[in-house]
Amino acid sequence: MAVDTIQPTIHADLPKARARRESQLGLMWRRFKRHKLALVSLWVVVIFYLVTLLAEFLAPTDPGAYSARYTYAPPQGIHFFAVNEDGGWEFGPYVNGYKTEIDPVALRRTFVIDEETRIPVRFFAESKPYMLAGIIPMSVKLMGLENPRDPFYILGADRLGRDMLSRVIHGTRISLSIGLVGVTMSLFFGIVIGGFAGYYGGWFDSAVMRVVEFIRSMPTIPLWLGLAAAMPKDWSALQTYFAITLILSLIGWTELARVVRGRFLSLRTEDFVTAAQLDGASDWRIVTRHMVPSFTSHIIAAATLAIPGMILAETALSFLGLGLQAPIVSWGTLLQDAQNIRTLATAPWLLAPGICVVIVILALNFFGDGLRDAADPHGR
């Protein structure tokens, strides 16, 4: 009789015991998987960041290679199956060629897809030697043509006859890396400055908060105009890239610093902080080893939601001519070619970088929402 009454209690307590043994990250992942839209967004973000790592391999051509013969050439659709001599279907990827016509109204040359001309496409095609991610020497591309002189514009060509697909792929690396590096630096500044402001309080806290309020009150556009004018014109593309990243980070840390400061104000009176102080731990150790890990999940969610802001800032600044400039290829610099109505009417494929921006921003926001819900200690 006693066994029968004890046994159900043991089985009922097993899930609770298992939950107690599960780590915080394990609990977050279990909650996160329930958010289907966030899970799909995670895979979208992973795919885009894989593109940044494999940009040289995925891009069919060099992003700077141009051909005046194919300016504003329309996109060529890839066909994976072709009709063989026996009338059946066989796997043979190809794209159609172009033929030129004269627009009777505008009296200018236009390209039309020639369905009678087939240009074979090869996967893992041989190419000129290059360095994958600047580290691994390779001479193979994901896609290529048997005859490199044939046109190959899956996403069309721009005003100089450059392949838009290759430029969008390489632009993904710049735009997404600025967001990732910028948020990493903002996290460092926000956690350290906001953490010590909340930990010490007093005049140091007041001084930090006045600096934060001053930075947040500054108008954005005039600030960027002044910073763009202050940058030396003889700087290389790499120096400009790091300068933009640093500036975005120095401005983007303020919001996280306010959140961390408020959290530290409530944590500094907790028993585990007092115990660490009585044990003789230094202030740096108390902040980094005891207080910050207590809300790591919130920091991860805040960082995920901050990356879209960094990407949008870089894209907007480069689009306005205040950020990165040619020959650097980013989504913002690519969108500079789509600033006039004539271009949009005749070459709408130049908006492809804008579509990528929308997809990535939505994916990062959905992913951040799911991560925030998963990190909520009161979530189910």
Side-chain angles (χ1 to χ4, degrees), residues 34-297:
R34 299 172 186 170
H35 200 306
K36 300 302 181 183
L37 187 58
L39 195 60
V40 173
S41 300
L42 170 61
W43 285 109
V44 173
V45 172
V46 169
I47 289 172
F48 270 93
Y49 274 102
L50 284 177
V51 170
T52 65
L53 294 175
L54 307 175
E56 293 86 0
F57 172 71
L58 298 175
T61 60
D62 189 307
Y66 64 91
S67 174
R69 184 179 177 183
Y70 295 104
T71 57
Y72 292 125
Q76 298 168 290
I78 272 193
H79 304 270
F80 292 96
F81 295 94
V83 180
N84 56 27
E85 298 178 355
D86 299 331
W89 293 90
E90 64 179 0
F91 180 77
Y94 68 92
V95 294
N96 294 117
Y98 295 113
K99 59 182 179 181
T100 57
E101 295 181 353
I102 301 298
D103 189 344
V105 178
L107 298 179
R108 63 171 179 265
R109 181 191 65 176
T110 59
F111 288 97
V112 178
I113 298 296
D114 184 8
E115 297 184 356
E116 297 181 358
T117 303
R118 295 183 178 181
I119 302 174
V121 176
R122 296 177 56 189
F123 286 96
F124 303 102
E126 293 291 333
S127 68
K128 295 180 180 179
Y130 62 90
M131 300 294 290
L132 181 63
I135 301 174
I136 305 173
M138 294 185 65
S139 59
V140 176
K141 296 277 189 180
L142 176 62
M143 291 186 298
L145 300 179
E146 295 180 357
N147 184 5
R149 296 183 179 181
D150 290 331
F152 189 43
Y153 301 105
I154 297 178
L155 280 185
D158 64 1
R159 60 186 179 86
L160 297 179
R162 295 172 295 193
D163 178 33
M164 279 299 298
L165 177 61
S166 300
R167 293 176 65 78
V168 168
I169 289 175
H170 281 269
T172 303
R173 170 177 291 175
I174 298 296
S175 295
L176 292 189
S177 62
I178 277 187
L180 195 61
V181 175
V183 166
T184 301
M185 297 178 65
S186 296
L187 277 176
F188 176 78
F189 291 127
I191 292 174
V192 172
I193 297 176
F196 280 101
Y199 179 73
Y200 288 117
W203 67 267
F204 183 72
D205 179 33
S206 300
V208 169
M209 287 301 102
R210 299 297 81 79
V211 172
V212 169
E213 292 168 359
F214 173 75
I215 294 176
R216 294 180 62 83
S217 65
M218 296 180 66
T220 306
I221 299 300
L223 175 63
W224 286 114
L225 287 171
L227 292 174
M231 286 188 184
K233 299 300 181 182
D234 58 345
W235 274 11
S236 65
L238 186 62
Q239 289 174 316
T240 305
Y241 168 80
F242 280 109
I244 292 293
T245 304
L246 180 61
I247 292 170
L248 288 174
S249 306
L250 292 176
I251 295 177
W253 64 270
T254 54
E255 180 63 29
L256 182 62
R258 294 179 64 178
V259 175
V260 173
R261 174 249 184 188
R263 183 65 175 170
F264 272 47
L265 284 175
S266 62
L267 284 178
R268 65 179 182 174
T269 58
E270 294 289 337
D271 293 339
F272 71 92
V273 176
T274 305
Q277 293 172 341
L278 294 176
D279 195 43
S282 63
D283 293 340
W284 177 261
R285 182 178 179 84
I286 293 173
V287 169
T288 58
R289 296 295 299 274
H290 297 281
M291 301 180 74
V292 171
S294 65
F295 63 107
T296 304
S297 57

Side-chain angles (χ1 to χ4, degrees), residues 3-4 25 82 114 141 143 170 220 226 247 307 314 322 327 364:
V3 175
D4 294 338
L25 291 178
D114 184 8
K141 296 277 189 180
M143 291 186 298
H170 281 269
T220 306
I247 292 170
I307 293 177
E314 182 276 324
L322 304 178
L364 284 170

